[in-house]
Amino acid sequence: MVIFSGIQPTGSKHLGNYIGAILQYVAGQDRADPAIYCIVDLHAVTVPYEPAELRTRTYDTAAILIAAGLDPDRCILFRQADVMEHAELSWLLSSVTPLGELNRMHQFRDKSAAQRELVSAGLLFYPVLQSADVLAYRAHEVPVGEDQREHLELMRRTAERFNSRFGEILVVPEHRIPEVGARVRDLQDPDRKMSTTGGSDQGTVYVLDEPEVIARKFKRAVADSGREIVRRDDKPGISNLIEIMAVARGIAPEAVEREFEGSGYGDFKTAVAEAVIEWVAPVRERYHELRDDEAGLEQTMAAGAEKARAIASVTVAEVRDAMGVGPTRRSVGSGA
Ligand code: ATP
Ligand code: MG
């Protein structure tokens, strides 16, 4: 079983990324062979960004992932741009991806509406590159948050369309969305997901935030006018806090509801903050131990890229061959 997932090196990673994705990455190392995790710098250039910062953020992200429990000996951890097959396959797959579907993707609609200046074609193309990321490894499973469900469905249709047009080459992947914490909400605006690029700073809890910052953000979290600590559709703020606490403590959301029945919102928020602070502290400490060694991180990513390339290049060669692109495979490497 092959697992693949990608994470952007934009900004610091937040609790949504940690709960929705990174925890699943860590668990995937025991379930998959191989588990492949990619820092997607090519995706990060689809919104405004600073070139020098992108490199720094890539190291930040690599260090966070390792600090959270990814072990480069038990998974393949690499940087997307180091494996050119992603870009090539993206172009090839664009021929079986309908423009209309890309146009309808919620992420494209939300991010392009939020953009003040140029809305890049890359933003529209994002799901095609993402399809290439996964399909290049013939991954069976893709751990992601709820926000990526739509892109995964597009990816599945792309793989099916490719296979029916050119032959059974690609694996149609399944998403793996966690049951609790699939959509961690912005603490200031619980109708929106916690987000690297789109959220409010006060509503976004970063894994690397200092304890007092985490405490302050939870204290100011928007709740609702009621007083019960239960999960309900009309209580997105409190429901969000219950889920965050459940994951942080490794218990069921129902157990959190029972424990805090009759408590006030203030006490509950303080308890959630304490649980999160205790839970992420070891990740922050390990991160600071790892982050300074950029040469080491670079070496880890380079070794990962080599393993990734060995897999992706085989798929892309088959795709090229089936599509009639480039020389026939017999002549590849024959020197002719
Ligand atoms: P952006 O908002 O700019 O897209 P992001 O915060 O979504 O950034 P990504 O690198 O795009 O960060 O996402 C990495 C992973 O984290 C994806 O699998 C995504 O589904 C998941 N994820 C992101 N935000 C949340 C969230 N609020 N709750 C749960 N999972 C999330
Ligand atoms: Mg995202």
Side-chain angles (χ1 to χ4, degrees):
M1 207 260 300
V2 179
I3 289 180
F4 180 96
S5 196
I7 186 162
Q8 295 197 71
T10 36
S12 284
K13 292 290 122 182
H14 52 74
L15 278 189
N17 303 133
Y18 193 53
I19 294 173
I22 298 173
L23 287 181
Q24 275 59 242
Y25 296 180
V26 175
Q29 296 180 117
D30 296 325
R31 301 180 40 249
D33 187 21
I36 309 169
Y37 303 117
C38 180
I39 300 171
V40 293
D41 54 347
L42 295 177
H43 277 100
V45 303
T46 58
V47 291
Y49 77 102
E50 282 304 323
E53 222 175 79
L54 179 56
R55 294 221 172 82
T56 313
R57 297 299 197 186
T58 300
Y59 294 131
D60 294 349
T61 307
I64 288 192
L65 292 173
I66 297 169
L70 288 194
D71 173 359
D73 289 329
R74 290 197 300 141
C75 71
I76 300 177
L77 175 64
F78 72 107
R79 173 172 49 204
Q80 188 182 29
D82 290 347
V83 180
M84 285 196 299
E85 279 76 4
H86 291 240
E88 180 175 356
L89 186 57
S90 166
W91 180 255
L92 296 172
L93 292 177
S94 72
S95 69
V96 287
T97 309
L99 175 61
E101 288 192 26
L102 293 179
N103 236 322
R104 282 196 295 275
M105 292 290 117
H106 283 98
Q107 178 174 294
F108 174 65
R109 298 193 150 234
D110 295 347
K111 287 192 179 176
S112 57
Q115 211 116 302
R116 298 226 182 79
E117 290 170 27
L118 171 100
V119 174
S120 70
L123 193 56
L124 178 75
F125 229 70
Y126 188 112
V128 187
L129 179 58
Q130 190 177 0
S131 300
D133 295 340
V134 174
L135 300 179
Y137 299 92
R138 294 194 250 234
H140 303 95
E141 203 176 277
V142 188
V144 283
E146 171 65 40
D147 64 306
Q148 293 302 313
R149 183 187 292 273
E150 197 180 39
H151 288 171
L152 260 294
E153 277 159 14
L154 175 82
M155 180 187 301
R156 288 169 56 84
R157 288 193 295 278
T158 300
E160 282 162 0
R161 212 176 281 115
F162 180 93
N163 285 348
S164 66
R165 168 83 177 81
F166 298 110
E168 293 290 323
I169 290 175
L170 302 175
V171 169
V172 182
E174 309 274 346
H175 59 64
R176 188 179 177 90
I177 297 174
E179 274 170 31
V180 178
R183 185 181 171 83
V184 175
R185 297 158 180 277
D186 188 293
L187 299 188
Q188 287 297 315
D189 184 0
D191 289 331
R192 300 169 53 156
K193 83 167 187 99
M194 201 176 272
S195 160
T196 311
T197 50
S200 64
D201 190 56
Q202 285 310 304
T204 308
V205 178
Y206 298 102
V207 177
L208 301 178
D209 272 346
E210 295 294 327
E212 46 293 358
V213 175
I214 296 180
R216 192 176 62 231
K217 288 178 177 174
F218 277 106
K219 194 169 175 195
R220 295 190 187 151
V222 170
D224 56 62
S225 55
R227 23 188 342 174
E228 293 152 284
I229 297 175
V230 289
R231 286 168 303 154
R232 231 171 39 212
D233 285 350
D234 64 336
K235 298 172 76 73
I238 288 295
S239 302
N240 190 38
L241 296 180
I242 292 171
E243 291 209 359
I244 291 173
M245 176 159 223
V247 176
R249 302 235 316 244
I251 58 177
E254 292 78 9
V256 176
E257 291 171 342
R258 274 197 302 276
E259 184 177 334
F260 288 91
E261 201 181 327
S263 300
Y265 282 175
D267 290 346
F268 178 54
K269 288 184 196 173
T270 306
V272 177
E274 279 168 6
V276 169
I277 288 166
E278 195 183 323
W279 183 51
V280 298
V283 180
R284 197 179 70 243
E285 282 158 23
R286 277 198 296 275
Y287 169 85
H288 289 298
E289 289 161 21
L290 292 159
R291 177 60 184 83
D292 279 346
D293 183 14
E294 289 189 358
L297 293 170
E298 194 61 61
Q299 222 167 31
T300 299
M301 287 192 288
E306 207 170 306
K307 292 185 211 160
R309 203 175 299 116
I311 302 170
S313 61
V314 175
T315 313
V316 173
E318 283 180 36
V319 167
R320 285 172 65 120
D321 197 40
M323 291 181 73
V325 169
T328 57
R329 274 216 285 168
R330 249 177 315 127
S331 62
V332 172
S334 72

